[in-house]
Amino acid sequence: LIDARDRRRLKVFLFTSCHRAEGRTTLVLALARSLSRRQGRTLLIDVDLNGPMLARSLGLRPPIGFDDVIESGSALSEALIDAPNDNLTILPMRSAVSSPREFLASPAWTCSMARLRREFDLILLDGGPLFTGLSATVLHRSVDAAILVHHRSVTGERAILRAGEVLEAGGVPLLGLAETFV
């Protein structure tokens, strides 16, 4: 990720999977924590619009989430949570959104993502699964590249190949695969 950021000038990385329960959120949390110890500001955003898990995984109960920023006009600065002692900021969602396509097509989404791109050096998106949620085609303007997370006992080779096709068709280059052992 650091190499892709520095050499290819990529900044926003979507972590997705084919299905739920492949270890995507756990992986992106560990990675964000590790990357936050490097120079530069790292942001971890929950964009699993149908089943956000980031706040729950961290034991957080945020009064304002990214969903409130986009749907209700809450201030983005109110939803950002800085982790103590490192360069990591979390932007959780409080709940699933009722209309994911409209959520991502809204001017509030576009403006928020543009602002976050300016303010952070590296942005990791904990996205939903490709085959049970929102298509990558809707996210393509906000994402520079994707990492497909998979667990061998959950996702077979055919599904991985299909996921690559879905990402490519959506305009999101596949940076690589990350196998988990959940």
Side-chain angles (χ1 to χ4, degrees), residues 21-57:
E22 294 201 66
R24 185 185 61 255
T25 298
T26 302
L27 174 75
V28 77
L29 276 168
L31 186 58
R33 180 69 181 173
S34 177
L35 290 169
S36 72
R37 294 184 179 126
R38 295 177 155 274
Q39 187 175 6
R41 295 180 67 205
T42 300
L43 174 65
L44 175 55
I45 307 175
D46 194 342
V47 294
D48 185 345
L49 304 180
N50 294 315
M53 290 296 297
L54 192 58
R56 186 173 10 170
S57 296

Side-chain angles (χ1 to χ4, degrees), residues 16 40 42 51 56 71 75 86 89 93-94 115-116 132 156 159 179:
T16 188
T42 300
R56 186 173 10 170
E71 295 180 323
D86 58 25
T89 301
M93 290 182 54
R94 290 187 322 120
R115 177 179 165 194
L116 294 169
T132 59
E179 185 173 357

Side-chain angles (χ1 to χ4, degrees), residues 5 10-12 39-43 116-123:
R5 181 195 67 192
L10 305 178
K11 184 181 275 198
V12 180
Q39 187 175 6
R41 295 180 67 205
T42 300
L43 174 65
L116 294 169
R117 253 185 201 278
R118 287 190 305 271
E119 294 180 11
F120 290 89
D121 300 298
L122 190 62
I123 300 173

Side-chain angles (χ1 to χ4, degrees), residues 43-179:
L43 174 65
L44 175 55
I45 307 175
D46 194 342
V47 294
D48 185 345
L49 304 180
N50 294 315
M53 290 296 297
L54 192 58
R56 186 173 10 170
S57 296
L58 292 169
L60 299 173
R61 291 182 165 224
I64 297 172
F66 198 27
D67 47 322
D68 299 307
V69 172
I70 305 304
E71 295 180 323
S72 304
S74 296
L76 181 59
S77 59
E78 298 284 322
L80 295 168
I81 301 170
D82 290 320
N85 304 321
D86 58 25
N87 295 315
L88 178 62
T89 301
I90 311 287
L91 181 52
M93 290 182 54
R94 290 187 322 120
S95 61
V97 300
S98 59
S99 182
R101 289 199 187 281
E102 282 139 26
F103 183 91
L104 293 171
S106 74
W109 168 268
T110 304
C111 291
S112 294
M113 290 304 295
R115 177 179 165 194
L116 294 169
R117 253 185 201 278
R118 287 190 305 271
E119 294 180 11
F120 290 89
D121 300 298
L122 190 62
I123 300 173
L124 310 179
L125 303 176
D126 181 16
L130 289 175
F131 300 148
T132 59
L134 189 63
S135 170
T137 58
V138 181
L139 282 172
H140 80 279
R141 289 182 195 93
S142 303
V143 175
D144 296 329
I147 292 85
L148 183 63
V149 179
H150 74 99
H151 188 284
R152 195 173 285 177
S153 69
V154 176
T155 301
E157 192 173 322
R158 277 186 157 166
I160 291 171
L161 292 172
R162 178 68 184 122
E165 292 168 358
V166 167
L167 289 165
E168 184 178 320
V172 179
L174 181 61
L175 187 63
L177 298 174
E179 185 173 357

